Amino acid sequence: NNELPATSDVRSKEKQEPNEIMTTVLQDETTNDATQAEDSSSFPSFPMKERYQDSSFSLSAMSETASLSDSYTYQNDFPGSERGDKNEAFILESGAASRQERDVKKIFDTLSPEEVEQAALHSYQYFLNRDETKRDLLALDQARRHYTAEKFDVDLAIKKMKATLKWREEIGIDAMRRCTDATDSDSETVRAMRDVLSVDMASGKVFVKGYDKEGRALYTVTPSKKNSDDEAAIVKSHIYALERCIACTERNTDGKEERITCIFDFSHFSRKHSYPLKIIKKVFGVLKAHYPERIHKMYFLDAPVVFRGIWTCVKPFVDPVTGSKIRFVQGKRTKDKYFGNLIDSDQATPNIRTDGTLSPGFDANAFLNNPFDQTY
């Protein structure tokens, strides 16, 4: 799952009809004779997106920008890794690398100094240290993510990136980062954010706990622990957890990995735990618009039949690329076999692996008091 398809595989995908992308459903042998794939017709394939989504291309051609390093390569470049080597070879073969470099530089050049700073602040480490020598490189990273997500449409990537920079200020990302162990000496905005999160996250419906074997933090959602229908509070809680998950991944991998792993645990889920459709649309809409190229995989664990009907309504609002990363994993034996290759037992709760040693318990205040770039 972690490797890019070989060149021939990618080319064969280009010949497929748009509706042939699959959402994988893995089930216990006791309920199904074999692992099977379920058609998800709302997820059209984008061969170009799949081809370059993990691309690493040098920015040496951009050396005229004062703070850029001639030796810089994008964060998704893993020297010596099989995935990186395959992808780099394919890009060189296609002759697309230099065009991508120029396009990303075009996006960067449209940013004002203030927007460059805001783009760099996607990095929590930059938020902490404000290392100006890394500012432009981090802004370019964000430009590259939007460029890739918008399927290499420069004008659309510029529009979406600028909208995201504005949104991050409006939603209060900095206040979320500062509300760890907030006290009376903190600003009213920070204290208000802390109050909202401590109440809405009290049930443990969303948090960050554990890492996969590649160092990605686990963004964990338990829908059965729903405790309100307050749209604004729910959205902020999910954004807070996303930001922390990205920050934890950045610290844990020293910035080499920028994507996160999402776990949706449907244990004890019933129809009464369903959120209004507008809230689900809002959360997935935020993910699509403002967190491009941040999801590695999204796992739905033990989703009951009732959820399948809800999912049918939700699928049209899910970004097709995100949709192609979703896996339904059913049953204890299948979870043990599947996640045994992806998550170590000391980084898993028992609902993910039966031999998982992380406690499933959760305390919102303890979570909020932890350093922002550390899991619960």
Side-chain angles (χ1 to χ4, degrees):
N1 285 336
N2 288 335
E3 293 186 4
L4 284 177
T7 303
S8 59
D9 295 335
V10 174
R11 286 172 177 165
S12 67
K13 279 194 174 188
E14 293 176 346
K15 298 177 182 178
Q16 294 179 352
E17 292 299 321
N19 291 339
E20 291 183 357
I21 272 288
M22 298 290 186
T23 295
T24 302
V25 180
L26 304 175
Q27 297 181 323
D28 271 355
E29 294 179 0
T30 55
T31 57
N32 196 359
D33 291 337
T35 297
Q36 62 181 10
E38 181 179 87
D39 184 17
S40 181
S41 60
S42 67
F43 301 149
S45 61
F46 296 101
M48 291 293 289
K49 172 69 174 65
E50 293 172 2
R51 180 181 298 176
Y52 298 118
Q53 66 181 3
D54 282 323
S55 62
S56 57
F57 34 91
S58 171
L59 292 177
S60 58
M62 304 178 190
S63 58
E64 66 270 20
T65 302
S67 61
L68 295 185
S69 165
D70 284 351
S71 62
Y72 177 74
T73 54
Y74 279 125
Q75 288 182 356
N76 279 353
D77 183 15
F78 295 95
S81 71
E82 184 177 2
R83 177 174 62 176
D85 291 346
K86 283 183 179 180
N87 200 46
E88 184 176 353
F90 191 82
I91 290 172
L92 292 175
E93 176 185 303
S94 67
S98 60
R99 176 181 63 81
Q100 291 190 351
E101 292 173 8
R102 290 193 299 270
D103 284 351
V104 173
K105 180 62 165 53
K106 286 179 185 177
I107 298 169
F108 178 87
D109 285 344
T110 69
L111 303 178
S112 67
E114 293 77 15
E115 288 173 326
V116 171
E117 177 74 7
Q118 285 297 318
L121 283 169
H122 279 74
S123 162
Y124 183 67
Q125 293 304 310
Y126 182 78
F127 173 81
L128 290 178
N129 305 318
R130 304 298 171 110
D131 184 348
E132 293 186 359
T133 65
K134 297 180 179 180
R135 181 182 56 204
D136 288 3
L137 301 180
L138 291 168
L140 279 159
D141 271 335
Q142 186 61 16
R144 181 256 307 163
R145 284 190 284 268
H146 281 281
Y147 173 68
T148 306
E150 301 309 329
K151 305 169 188 67
F152 319 109
D153 184 324
V154 173
D155 292 337
L156 187 55
I158 292 170
K159 178 181 178 180
K160 292 296 184 69
M161 183 173 181
K162 287 178 177 286
T164 291
L165 297 178
K166 181 179 179 181
W167 172 85
R168 289 177 69 83
E169 286 192 276
E170 293 174 345
I171 201 69
I173 299 298
D174 283 2
M176 290 182 184
R177 289 169 165 176
R178 295 182 192 280
C179 74
T180 298
D181 200 18
T183 66
D184 291 340
S185 62
D186 289 298
S187 71
E188 183 178 344
T189 301
V190 172
R191 293 199 307 273
M193 182 67 75
R194 168 73 181 223
D195 290 344
V196 168
L197 295 174
S198 62
V199 172
D200 194 71
M201 300 181 78
S203 67
K205 64 187 176 187
V206 58
F207 55 86
V208 183
K209 182 184 289 190
Y211 296 89
D212 68 16
K213 291 186 177 183
E214 300 299 322
R216 306 178 192 93
L218 305 182
Y219 168 85
T220 304
V221 180
T222 308
S224 64
K225 294 184 178 180
K226 171 189 174 184
N227 60 347
S228 80
D229 284 321
D230 184 334
E231 179 178 336
I234 291 168
V235 170
K236 285 180 180 178
S237 292
H238 281 274
I239 293 170
Y240 176 82
L242 278 168
E243 289 287 331
R244 279 194 68 161
C245 201
I246 292 167
C248 290
T249 299
E250 180 184 19
R251 181 192 59 79
N252 193 50
T253 65
D254 196 24
K256 293 182 176 66
E257 179 59 61
E258 60 185 18
R259 296 180 182 180
I260 64 174
T261 295
C262 301
I263 305 285
F264 286 76
D265 175 18
F266 284 90
S267 300
H268 311 298
F269 178 85
S270 64
R271 187 171 294 277
K272 69 180 181 180
H273 300 124
S274 302
Y275 286 102
L277 186 58
K278 68 174 184 177
I279 293 180
I280 299 175
K281 288 170 59 178
K282 182 71 172 180
V283 172
F284 275 97
V286 165
L287 185 66
K288 176 181 178 181
H290 304 303
Y291 292 91
E293 298 300 298
R294 287 298 198 178
I295 304 300
H296 170 64
K297 286 289 188 297
M298 187 177 289
Y299 300 102
F300 288 179
L301 309 186
D302 297 323
V305 174
V306 65
F307 177 73
R308 300 301 176 90
I310 298 170
W311 180 242
T312 299
C313 298
V314 173
K315 280 193 296 185
F317 307 107
V318 178
D319 177 72
V321 176
T322 299
S324 70
K325 298 176 181 180
I326 291 174
R327 302 289 184 270
F328 285 82
V329 187
Q330 303 289 123
K332 291 182 179 179
R333 291 203 300 175
T334 302
K335 287 189 291 185
D336 284 348
K337 182 177 180 180
Y338 192 70
F339 290 115
N341 297 322
L342 302 176
I343 303 171
D344 290 324
S345 61
D346 64 353
Q347 296 296 315
T349 54
N351 64 304
I352 297 175
R353 290 180 52 165
T354 54
D355 62 349
T357 59
L358 284 184
S359 169
F362 178 76
D363 182 294
N365 282 323
F367 180 53
L368 292 170
N369 287 341
N370 279 356
F372 193 82
D373 58 356
Q374 292 185 23
T375 63
Y376 178 69

